[in-house]
Amino acid sequence: MLDWADQLIQEYTDGRQQLRKKADQLDRKNPLDMQDLKQFNSMIESMSYSLEWMETGRQPGTYRGAEESNVYQKRSYENMDWLPDLEAQLREENDINKKHLFMTREEKIILADILSSFSLRERQCYLLHKGQKKSMSDIAEGLGVSKSMVQQSIRRAKKKISDRIQKDS
């Protein structure tokens, strides 16, 4: 379900959270712990810098570089291989209806732009619900969140799609 960019961002986020927990456990009165704290803070800062770069596609603190936000996710979404179940579903529908289903490059770019505007949770919930026809209860159970969180995430995703459609009209 996660593309490579989302997986990397998730790993860095989890790692940074673990470092913060370790740093919080140190005794600030102990000189040795204070040296360790400097190391932890340095690693946390480095991970935050890397995360910002991955999430925005821009080098933090500079004004030049990749000018698109979420550039790595967009590139991944344009390659529709990450949705094999949806592709298979479209192929099955194509066999039944005898229609030629395809997306133009422009449509793929628009879809990639819309999907990259979703948060990770919105993207997971929306694609599981709309693309794989999972119930909100099944999604909530699978992701370990409440059903209302799934509903809210899908509602936000739909609003972003609606806003994009109105923008393009």
Side-chain angles (χ1 to χ4, degrees):
M1 181 70 193
L2 298 179
D3 67 2
W4 66 269
D6 285 329
Q7 287 175 346
L8 192 59
I9 289 169
Q10 189 64 50
E11 288 173 13
Y12 269 69
T13 302
D14 293 344
R16 183 178 61 181
Q17 186 177 10
Q18 290 172 4
L19 285 171
R20 285 181 175 153
K21 285 180 184 177
K22 294 277 187 191
D24 289 343
Q25 294 171 353
L26 294 175
D27 179 12
R28 296 200 177 349
K29 295 178 183 175
N30 183 339
L32 293 175
D33 281 356
M34 287 307 290
Q35 286 188 339
D36 289 344
L37 182 60
K38 285 182 184 180
Q39 291 296 323
F40 279 120
N41 286 337
S42 175
M43 290 187 290
I44 291 168
E45 183 179 335
S46 179
M47 290 182 95
S48 296
Y49 180 87
S50 298
L51 272 166
E52 184 178 345
W53 198 331
M54 287 184 275
E55 289 169 343
T56 63
R58 302 180 75 167
Q59 182 177 354
T62 62
Y63 295 105
R64 297 180 187 239
E67 295 302 320
E68 295 182 66
S69 75
N70 303 320
V71 68
Y72 302 116
Q73 286 92 347
K74 285 181 187 179
R75 287 184 190 147
S76 176
Y77 299 143
E78 286 180 32
N79 175 6
M80 296 303 280
D81 296 339
W82 61 274
L83 272 178
D85 292 339
L86 186 57
E87 285 184 20
Q89 184 179 352
L90 288 174
R91 278 196 295 273
E92 288 171 14
E93 289 176 13
N94 187 24
D95 291 341
I96 294 168
N97 298 328
K98 302 294 183 209
K99 291 181 186 174
H100 179 65
L101 298 175
F102 69 93
M103 291 179 71
T104 65
R105 174 158 169 63
E106 292 79 23
E107 290 169 332
K108 284 184 179 182
I109 290 170
I110 290 169
L111 178 61
D113 189 44
I114 290 170
L115 289 173
S116 67
S117 71
F118 292 175
S119 70
L120 175 60
R121 179 73 68 219
E122 290 166 350
R123 192 166 44 252
Q124 288 173 326
C125 293
Y126 186 80
L127 292 175
L128 286 169
H129 186 63
K130 293 294 187 180
Q132 296 184 9
K133 306 289 188 215
K134 299 236 184 235
S135 71
M136 291 185 194
S137 299
D138 289 343
I139 296 169
E141 184 178 326
L143 296 177
V145 297
S146 68
K147 185 178 173 186
S148 63
M149 171 64 78
V150 172
Q151 291 169 328
Q152 184 178 20
S153 297
I154 293 171
R155 190 171 30 254
R156 283 188 196 140
K158 285 180 178 180
K159 178 161 179 13
K160 288 179 182 180
I161 292 170
S162 174
D163 290 349
R164 175 61 192 253
I165 290 170
Q166 288 177 0
K167 176 183 155 189
D168 289 343
S169 297

